[in-house]
Amino acid sequence: MALPGPSWRGQPEPVVASRCPAQGPLPALSALCMMAPGTRNGLRIEILDGVSVPYVELTLAMMREFGASVSRQGSRITIAPGTYQAREYVIEPDASTASYFFAAAAVTGNTVTVLGLGRHSRQGDLRFATEVLPAMGCDVTVADGPVRITDVANCRVKESDRIDAMSSALGACGIATGTGPDWLEIIPGLLRAATVGTRADHRIAMSMSVLGIRTPGIRFDDPACVSKTFPGFYSAFAGLQEAWQRG
């Protein structure tokens, strides 16, 4: 990510967000966008491949609600100089974390309601839940035939290489998989209990917890990794299952 050079003729200072394989490029880009109104001439940011547009749009929408002048045309974001206006703001529940509870309901035939997370949410993970859940390995192991998830190369540069991590985790539980640079194929089979390597990645532990509903006895080498985003995940997850059992 190149920092802005000197401004010229009052035009927005240019910044290029380049592909970054390390963790945290999206928080860094969001931070850059949010500080832009405080610069002398604003910023113009060019988004290159490797950046998840729905998350960027979430940041830009929030900035507009606080009074920032922001526009995006294709890969270019233009942010004018200005000030934010204080206001009350409702923070939605995290759709990424909620997706595991949705998956649990799907694989058990139950229902779950997440208050404050409706169809008008701007969170990309909610809109594409039918793609996100299989990509995390939540329900495809009970399908009738092989399932291939494609175009997920970005999953290799998260907290772990999630394509490889899910392949290993599922393999430990008796499920055969195939992988490629941007795809994961899962062949349904007979599940067995096992100790799963989380690679210190909260999403691996959460997704395999859903699989654990079907296969009691799945354990994690690092269960505390969920503390990054949801320290109470296991108790909330167990509480949901208990509520379903009570009817």
Side-chain angles (χ1 to χ4, degrees):
M1 182 174 291
L3 295 176
S7 60
W8 70 99
R9 298 181 183 176
Q11 296 298 312
E13 303 172 41
V15 176
V16 174
S18 61
R19 176 184 294 172
C20 179
Q23 295 183 32
L26 287 170
L29 179 56
S30 290
L32 187 64
C33 289
M34 288 189 284
M35 58 79 67
T39 62
R40 181 173 57 183
N41 296 315
L43 293 178
R44 187 177 69 240
I45 302 170
E46 192 77 19
I47 304 175
L48 305 182
D49 54 352
V51 175
S52 180
V53 172
Y55 286 102
V56 176
E57 282 290 355
L58 195 62
T59 297
L60 301 183
M62 183 197 71
M63 291 173 61
R64 293 186 188 100
E65 292 191 48
F66 280 90
S69 176
V70 182
S71 64
R72 184 176 77 87
Q73 292 185 329
S75 63
R76 176 168 294 182
I77 299 172
T78 303
I79 305 171
T83 58
Y84 289 114
Q85 303 298 317
R87 53 158 295 179
E88 291 187 358
Y89 188 78
V90 177
I91 299 176
E92 293 181 346
D94 177 26
S96 298
T97 301
S99 66
Y100 303 100
F101 293 84
F102 296 148
V107 300
T108 60
N110 287 294
T111 60
V112 64
T113 301
V114 178
L115 299 177
L117 194 60
R119 69 181 126 194
H120 298 300
S121 172
R122 296 187 180 95
Q123 296 185 65
D125 281 358
L126 184 65
R127 295 196 303 271
F128 296 105
T130 55
E131 297 177 22
V132 171
L133 297 180
M136 300 305 291
C138 290
D139 61 358
V140 294
T141 55
V142 296
D144 294 329
V147 175
R148 177 175 289 204
I149 302 105
T150 60
D151 196 25
V152 289
N154 63 319
C155 286
R156 289 193 178 276
V157 290
K158 301 294 186 179
E159 286 85 342
S160 69
D161 179 340
R162 287 180 177 164
I163 292 178
D164 187 67
M166 285 305 306
S167 177
S168 296
L170 291 169
C173 295
I175 302 300
T177 62
T179 65
D182 66 345
W183 58 269
L184 170 66
E185 184 171 86
I186 303 170
I187 294 88
L190 295 177
L191 292 163
R192 63 171 181 256
T195 297
V196 171
T198 64
R199 306 194 187 185
D201 189 338
H202 56 150
R203 299 306 184 195
I204 302 304
M206 290 178 178
S207 61
M208 294 303 292
S209 292
V210 178
L211 196 64
I213 296 176
R214 292 275 185 151
T215 310
I218 288 180
R219 301 174 301 279
F220 304 124
D221 66 338
D222 182 15
C225 64
V226 299
S227 297
K228 174 180 179 179
T229 49
F230 194 170
F233 173 78
Y234 299 119
S235 59
F237 207 67
L240 180 63
Q241 294 175 71
E242 291 171 2
W244 286 336
Q245 291 170 1
R246 291 193 302 267

